[in-house]
Amino acid sequence: MNEVLFCSELKMWIEDNITERLLLDDVAIKSGYSKWHLQRVFKKNTGISLGFFIKRRKLEFAYHDIMVKEESITDIALKYGFDSLQAFSRAFTRHYRFPPSRISKKRIENK
């Protein structure tokens, strides 16, 4: 299979399973490649590491949920596989440069 097509299909599979615990070992098993080969192929064809892609997409999906859903930030963090609200808040703040509570407050204010 063409590597670009493979990576595109893998990204779609990840997004379809974004609320699952997506460990690199499990994704490698799904792909049929070794973990190390999969990471090389993915980075070569996307420019980013597989682990970074998964984490970034989980944060993007979580951002969307915070904006539009009535769920608590804790529930959203757990939904996307973060071990705690603190771990989610740290990752979110590093990625977006502001805490998730800012979005939640803005959503509430706009009601």
Side-chain angles (χ1 to χ4, degrees):
M1 176 186 285
N2 174 322
E3 286 182 355
V4 174
L5 178 60
F6 168 78
C7 289
S8 178
E9 289 178 2
L10 183 63
K11 290 187 328 187
M12 286 189 296
W13 180 85
I14 289 168
E15 290 180 0
D16 289 344
N17 293 280
I18 200 71
T19 58
E20 302 298 320
R21 189 161 184 199
L22 296 173
L23 301 174
L24 292 178
D25 290 329
D26 299 330
V27 177
I29 290 168
K30 187 269 179 232
S31 74
Y33 289 121
S34 74
K35 178 170 75 172
W36 307 114
H37 183 69
L38 173 62
Q39 291 181 89
R40 280 192 297 275
V41 168
F42 193 87
K43 181 146 186 163
K44 176 181 147 195
N45 288 280
T46 64
I48 60 173
S49 73
L50 180 56
F52 180 79
F53 174 78
I54 292 169
K55 189 172 196 176
R56 185 184 72 192
R57 292 304 290 150
K58 284 181 176 282
L59 289 169
E60 289 168 353
F61 274 78
Y63 186 107
H64 176 265
D65 284 4
I66 294 168
M67 287 288 294
V68 301
K69 295 188 177 179
E70 297 292 324
E71 296 176 65
S72 71
I73 294 173
T74 301
D75 289 342
I76 291 169
L78 296 174
K79 174 181 173 182
Y80 290 104
F82 290 88
D83 293 330
S84 67
L85 176 60
Q86 292 79 14
F88 173 72
S89 292
R90 274 193 308 274
F92 191 97
T93 302
R94 266 194 305 261
H95 185 74
Y96 289 108
R97 302 202 192 311
F98 55 84
S101 59
R102 183 184 296 176
I103 300 166
S104 183
K105 286 177 188 170
K106 194 179 289 189
R107 177 180 45 85
I108 292 167
E109 289 170 1
N110 291 331
K111 281 187 171 182

